[in-house]
């Protein structure tokens, strides 16, 4: 009797086994994506909110302005700094009293920023200006027009210019600390890492620079970097480009990039497809990362493994960072007239408010003062909104892993 002999697998069998393994791996990775990632990436038109008395947002105040503002900054003495698109700068209190009305070097196109010392930075025309408790501290002409709102780190004001240069100004004097030419320009960051800065570019790179603007490290991560934030030894970024599955799979993704003593890790720890780019940095809350995408979803991802946790369907896309208070996020959804309050635990909608005139919409990010959320509107006024909790609303979709917790 002949012993049992195993015949080697033929090429067709090997090819079939290879395809099966690849397909299984791809399917396992797809399970890490949110089901909604393919939705239209431009959710600018709002859709109806659910009805119910579970949360309530009340209009607390309304202050008339002599023009349309681009945003607000609250100084340490609770004075509001209000730049108008026309090139005027107001300083006023919550009663509507105007203590100063100054002219700026040009029109204002971008929201102001609050420096870490409590002052306000405004980009007007081709100049950057700083306003503190005593008035206009300085105005510095720039070599080109700014293309985004100013960004601040300790002691510095960072401006992205139309000629793809990144300029850092001293917050006290307005003097130029350094200028760096970046392919595609500065589009994300900077975030600080010790005495270094990390930025993302429109050319799809992460760039690490020292305190003098010298390039220490750079990595190509995609086609463009939208936003980034840092948590301990990790970067979380939203970028455009290959999602890591197949060559044809390209689009917006959220990624975790590890930081090392010598610079950036050679590749990301994980990538997760999302339904659109973002105008707000990812938010790191405990062990999760929250992302507000242009497709109108607020998503939570486990930071360690990059696994979807929950997602909340907002009525419109988010253009500005929310006001965070305790366990809730208050989103002013420009360019609509809606303010939405969402839970940081599971994304559930806790309340909402629409402006009374459907043609009025919010402009610029919101700020918090005295328990009231303040925002400027297209009708040339400042409104103050407060939220009152009345009970839980519907909970968004959660992963099986979260339901087991």
């Amino acid at each position: 009797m002949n012993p049992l002999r195993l015949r080697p697998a033929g090429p067709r069998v090997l090819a079939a086994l290879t395809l099966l393994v690849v397909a299984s791996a791809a399917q396992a990775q797809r399970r890490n994506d949110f089901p909604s990632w393919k939705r239209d990436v431009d959710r600018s038109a709002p859709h109806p909110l659910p009805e119910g008395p579970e949360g309530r947002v009340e209009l607390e105040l309304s202050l008339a302005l002599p023009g349309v503002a681009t945003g607000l900054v609250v100084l340490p003495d609770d004075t509001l700094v209000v730049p108008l698109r026309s090139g005027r700068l107001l300083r006023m209190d919550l009663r509507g009293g105007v203590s100063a009305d100054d002219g700026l070097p040009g029109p204002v196109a971008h929201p102001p920023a609050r420096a870490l010392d409590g002052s306000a930075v405004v980009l007007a025309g081709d100049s950057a200006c700083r306003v503190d408790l005593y008035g206009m501290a300085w105005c510095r002409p720039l070599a080109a027009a700014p293309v985004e709102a100013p960004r601040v780190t300790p002691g510095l004001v960072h401006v992205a210019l139309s000629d793809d240069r990144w300029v850092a100004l001293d917050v006290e004097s307005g003097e130029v600390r350094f200028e760096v030419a970046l392919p595609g320009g500065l589009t994300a960051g900077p975030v600080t890492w010790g005495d270094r800065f990390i930025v993302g570019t429109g050319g799809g790179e992460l760039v690490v620079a020292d305190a003098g603007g010298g390039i220490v490290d750079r990595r190509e991560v995609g086609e463009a970097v939208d936003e980034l934030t840092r948590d301990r030894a990790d970067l979380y970024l939203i970028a455009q480009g290959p999602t890591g599955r197949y060559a044809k799979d390209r689009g917006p993704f959220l990624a975790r990039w590890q930081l090392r003593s010598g610079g950036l890790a050679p590749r990301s720890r994980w990538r997760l497809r999302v339904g659109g780019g973002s105008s707000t940095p990812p938010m790191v809350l405990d062990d999760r990362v929250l992302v507000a995408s242009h497709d109108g979803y607020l998503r939570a991802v486990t930071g360690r493994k990059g696994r979807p946790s929950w997602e909340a369907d907002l009525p419109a896309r988010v253009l500005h960072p929310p006001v965070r208070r305790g366990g809730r996020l208050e989103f002013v959804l420009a360019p609509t007239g809606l303010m939405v309050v969402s839970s940081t635990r599971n994304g559930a909608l806790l309340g909402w408010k629409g402006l009374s005139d459907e043609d009025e919409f919010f402009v610029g990010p919101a700020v918090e003062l005295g328990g009231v959320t303040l925002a400027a509107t297209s009708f040339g006024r400042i409104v103050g909104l407060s939220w009152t909790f009345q009970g839980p609303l519907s909970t968004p979709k959660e992963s099986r892993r979260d339901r087991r917790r």
Side-chain angles (χ1 to χ4, degrees):
M1 182 174 179
N2 294 331
L4 180 63
R5 298 174 61 184
L6 296 177
R7 299 176 59 185
R12 292 185 179 179
V13 175
L14 291 175
L17 290 174
T18 302
L19 288 175
L20 180 61
V21 171
V22 171
S24 299
Q27 183 65 29
Q29 287 192 338
R30 284 196 188 97
R31 282 196 292 268
N32 281 341
D33 288 328
F34 285 99
S36 61
W37 73 271
K38 289 185 177 181
R39 194 168 82 171
D40 183 5
V41 300
D42 185 9
R43 191 62 174 279
S44 56
H47 68 87
L49 282 164
E51 295 182 358
E54 289 80 1
R56 185 174 66 244
V57 179
E58 299 291 347
L59 182 66
E60 298 290 341
L61 61 88
S62 176
L63 304 177
L65 300 173
V68 178
T70 60
L72 310 170
V73 169
V74 180
L75 296 181
D77 65 350
D78 291 346
T79 297
L80 290 175
V81 174
V82 187
L84 304 182
R85 292 179 180 176
S86 60
R88 294 168 61 184
L89 185 75
L90 307 179
R91 284 188 294 154
M92 57 191 303
D93 56 35
L94 282 182
R95 296 184 299 273
V98 177
S99 58
D101 185 347
D102 300 318
L104 292 169
V108 181
H110 307 288
R114 190 178 192 270
L116 300 185
D117 66 350
S119 61
V121 180
V122 180
L123 302 180
D126 293 348
S127 299
C129 301
R130 174 176 171 264
V131 183
D132 58 20
L133 295 173
Y134 306 101
M136 194 76 67
W138 50 259
C139 274
R140 173 67 57 181
L142 303 170
V147 295
E148 292 189 359
R151 307 163 190 260
V152 296
T153 58
L156 292 178
V157 176
H158 304 267
V159 184
L161 300 182
S162 58
D163 60 1
D164 288 350
R165 276 185 295 171
W166 160 28
V167 178
L169 306 174
D170 185 276
V171 73
E172 290 293 333
S173 64
E175 297 295 329
V176 176
R177 288 278 192 90
F178 61 80
E179 294 184 6
V180 181
L182 298 173
L186 172 67
T187 56
V191 296
T192 57
W193 179 30
D195 59 349
R196 297 176 179 179
F197 303 103
I198 306 174
V199 300
T201 75
E205 286 187 316
L206 285 177
V207 177
V208 182
D210 59 26
I215 303 300
V216 176
D217 193 14
R218 62 199 314 161
R219 299 282 177 181
E220 183 177 349
V221 300
E223 297 167 357
V225 182
D226 291 341
E227 294 289 346
L228 63 87
T229 192
R230 186 179 74 85
D231 177 46
R232 298 178 184 174
D234 291 299
L235 285 175
Y236 296 99
L237 59 97
I238 301 173
Q240 311 283 334
T243 58
R245 270 91 175 150
Y246 305 102
K248 67 178 182 179
D249 287 339
R250 313 180 80 82
F253 63 87
L254 170 69
R256 175 190 173 195
W257 216 280
Q258 192 172 23
L259 300 174
R260 297 179 176 177
S261 59
L264 299 166
R267 60 183 60 88
S268 60
R269 298 294 297 270
W270 49 257
R271 291 191 180 195
L272 181 70
R273 289 180 289 189
V274 292
S278 181
S279 301
T280 63
M283 295 168 280
V284 181
L285 302 178
D286 298 325
D287 62 337
R288 296 183 184 179
V289 182
L290 271 59
V291 177
S293 300
H294 284 171
D295 63 354
Y297 273 104
L298 174 66
R299 298 180 174 90
V301 178
T302 57
R304 181 175 177 82
K305 297 293 186 180
R307 292 173 179 169
S309 178
W310 53 257
E311 60 182 1
D313 191 357
L314 301 178
R317 62 177 176 171
V318 175
L319 295 182
H320 302 290
V323 173
R324 182 184 174 191
R325 285 198 269 191
R328 67 183 191 268
L329 301 172
E330 300 182 357
F331 292 94
V332 171
L333 299 178
T336 74
L338 292 171
M339 173 180 168
V340 176
V341 182
S342 177
S343 168
T344 60
R345 183 179 65 85
N346 58 14
L349 294 182
L350 303 176
W352 51 87
K353 177 71 174 182
L355 298 175
S356 57
D357 193 314
E358 63 180 11
D359 294 328
E360 186 178 16
F361 55 88
F362 291 110
V363 293
V367 297
E368 188 272 336
L369 178 58
V372 177
T373 298
L374 304 174
T377 80
S378 60
F379 280 12
R381 64 177 181 143
I382 297 172
V383 297
L385 304 168
S386 65
W387 175 81
T388 303
F389 179 72
Q390 293 180 309
L393 190 61
S394 59
T395 302
K397 298 178 182 178
E398 294 186 85
S399 68
R400 294 180 181 178
R401 183 182 180 210
D402 285 335
R403 290 197 292 269
R404 289 196 299 266
R405 288 184 175 180

